[in-house]
Amino acid sequence: MIERTGISSTTDTPGPAQRRVFHSKVDTIRPTYGFEDVSLAPGTDTVEPSDVDLAQTLCGIDLAIPILASAMDAVVDARMAGALARLGGLAILNLEGVQTRYDDPDAILERLATAADGDVQELLGEVYRQPIREELIAARIAEIHATGSKAAVAATPGAARRFGPFCAEHGADLFLVQSQVSSARHLATEYDPLSLADFTRYMPIPVAVGNTTNAEAAFALMEQGAAAVFVGVGPGAACTTREVLGIGIPQVTAISDVAAARDAFLAETGRYVPVVADGGMRRGGELAKAIAAGADALMLGSPLARAEEAPGRGTNWGMAAPSPTLPRGTRIKVGTVGTLERILLGPAHVTDGSENLVGALRQSMAALGARTIPEMQRVEMVYAPSTQTEGKSWQRSR
């Protein structure tokens, strides 16, 4: 709080009527934390890494590892869905991407991956002007099932009303309503917004919702029937929302806040709604911190776009990148480093933690004495920004 004192023209001693108090927004700024701000503190117990159990059921789908592939065109197609399912994870297909607009999406993806930097934004706009075709949605769901994977699909709220029932009728196993910022009540004057409560009620398959960073909003989404809540506004490597719109909450705080809403909702209703951390994780330590902050599962985009099986050919771009009026993403070049199995399960060929991500998570949990994801969610987290630099001067000079 800032205090300013008025000075009388007749005396140097201010009276009560001359005293003013000014309230500044910065006086009440809330500290928030990202992955680089915190560290996980070892406790009294350790366990063998082989005894760590990462399995869970998410929205009725059994997972051996808590990894979801982001609904991004450069990350997920039917082939990638099958590859991830064989490793124990789940891929989510973007219903508004090239897979549902083109009979031969590979040719389009090749153009997007190889376009010059100066031409790619115009090309994105051109590519995504083609209409979405329902027969291709049905075909992609069937292709995903043919690989042995469950079919999880995602659409923005405006498209969810149109495609949700169609996807359920054609065998989809999970529908994700995903937008830049999800709220329980969207106000609009020019159209009738999607009612999440109605949508979850008439959809015969689980409906997950994202993204949010707010506990109150998450609790309300759970009340309206969300089967899972996705957390993260702007942390993705290919996303520019934080720069373009100036909004976002660092992921450790966002995950923790939404996890608190999950726990409160469980206590009040008896229903457990999983929390999925979406974005901002590049290395094993960040996956571990996301779970410790309260996440049940982790959605990865750019780290998986580096896999040989990924359709983006070593590039990635966000879902909002093709916007014709205000792009909030860009194509980035992540390179192709190896198979999906190597990226997730190793063996790692680098020392920076960007490969064998699940192995690193398992090793971290073992060192912290956490046999399961719920136990990992209870480990101690400390504010420790110096852990990124303490004793590392020789590494920085390499």
Side-chain angles (χ1 to χ4, degrees):
M1 181 180 297
I2 300 173
E3 294 187 356
R4 297 288 186 266
T5 302
I7 304 298
S8 168
S9 60
T10 60
T11 177
D12 290 335
T13 304
Q18 298 165 315
R19 189 171 181 82
R20 296 183 179 89
V21 177
F22 299 91
H23 297 278
S24 169
K25 183 170 286 188
V26 299
D27 294 334
T28 55
I29 285 181
R30 179 168 67 110
T32 56
Y33 306 100
F35 293 122
E36 294 185 353
D37 299 316
V38 301
S39 186
L40 306 180
T44 59
D45 298 331
T46 59
V47 300
E48 279 297 312
S50 59
D51 290 333
V52 171
D53 182 9
L54 298 174
Q56 63 180 291
T57 299
L58 181 80
C59 302
I61 298 174
D62 292 334
L63 301 178
I65 58 175
I67 303 296
L68 309 183
S70 181
M72 306 171 84
D73 279 353
V75 179
V76 174
D77 62 2
R79 177 190 179 209
M80 184 70 161
L84 183 54
R86 287 188 288 275
L87 299 178
L90 177 70
I92 301 181
L93 182 74
N94 175 17
L95 288 179
E96 298 173 73
V98 298
Q99 297 292 328
T100 59
R101 297 175 193 264
Y102 295 93
D103 293 300
D104 182 16
D106 283 345
I108 301 300
L109 290 162
E110 178 69 25
R111 289 180 63 196
L112 289 169
T114 58
D117 291 342
D119 300 333
V120 70
Q121 207 61 44
E122 182 178 352
L123 179 58
L124 282 167
E126 172 192 329
V127 163
Y128 287 87
R129 278 195 291 269
Q130 292 297 312
I132 299 167
R133 294 157 49 191
E134 287 189 343
E135 72 271 18
L136 287 179
I137 292 177
R140 302 305 178 224
I141 291 173
E143 289 170 7
I144 292 172
H145 279 150
T147 69
S149 173
K150 297 290 187 180
V153 296
T156 56
R161 195 200 314 259
R162 174 184 169 192
F163 298 126
F166 181 86
C167 289
E169 290 170 9
H170 287 80
D173 301 284
L174 172 65
F175 196 97
L176 169 61
V177 181
Q178 192 167 37
S179 59
Q180 183 173 268
V181 177
S182 293
S183 62
R185 187 169 64 104
H186 179 65
L187 306 180
T189 57
E190 297 182 353
Y191 64 94
D192 182 23
L194 175 73
S195 167
L196 180 62
D198 291 343
F199 188 72
T200 59
R201 187 163 49 248
Y202 70 67
M203 281 286 284
I205 60 176
V207 176
V209 184
N211 284 20
T212 189
T213 61
N214 180 275
E216 290 81 4
F219 192 94
L221 294 171
M222 295 172 192
E223 287 183 309
Q224 294 187 355
V229 174
F230 286 61
V231 181
V233 174
C239 180
T240 59
T241 295
R242 292 180 177 178
E243 294 88 344
V244 176
L245 302 184
I247 64 176
I249 299 289
Q251 277 293 70
V252 168
T253 293
I255 296 165
S256 182
D257 287 354
V258 175
R262 173 202 61 205
D263 295 343
F265 187 77
L266 173 64
E268 290 189 22
T269 68
R271 185 167 76 93
Y272 190 88
V273 180
V275 170
V276 180
D278 179 10
M281 294 160 287
R282 304 159 298 166
R283 300 181 175 90
E286 292 157 349
L287 273 66
K289 292 175 185 179
I291 297 289
D296 297 284
L298 312 167
M299 176 176 267
L300 305 179
S302 294
L304 303 188
R306 306 170 76 214
E308 292 173 359
E309 297 91 337
R313 297 157 173 78
T315 66
N316 193 23
W317 56 91
M319 290 185 295
S323 170
T325 57
L326 189 65
R328 290 159 330 271
T330 183
R331 186 196 64 179
I332 59 173
K333 297 177 181 178
V334 297
T336 299
V337 300
T339 65
L340 181 64
E341 182 173 8
R342 185 172 118 195
I343 291 171
L344 290 179
L345 303 180
H349 292 196
V350 294
T351 60
D352 64 359
S354 62
E355 296 179 8
N356 197 2
L357 296 172
V358 174
L361 171 61
R362 186 183 298 276
Q363 185 73 39
S364 177
M365 292 175 62
L368 295 165
R371 289 183 175 85
T372 64
I373 287 174
E375 289 183 8
M376 185 65 167
Q377 292 167 344
R378 295 193 291 269
V379 304
E380 183 184 8
M381 179 178 285
V382 297
Y383 174 61
S386 64
T387 58
Q388 301 294 321
T389 57
E390 186 176 46
K392 302 299 188 292
S393 59
W394 285 353
Q395 290 184 25
R396 295 196 301 274
S397 65
R398 289 194 307 180

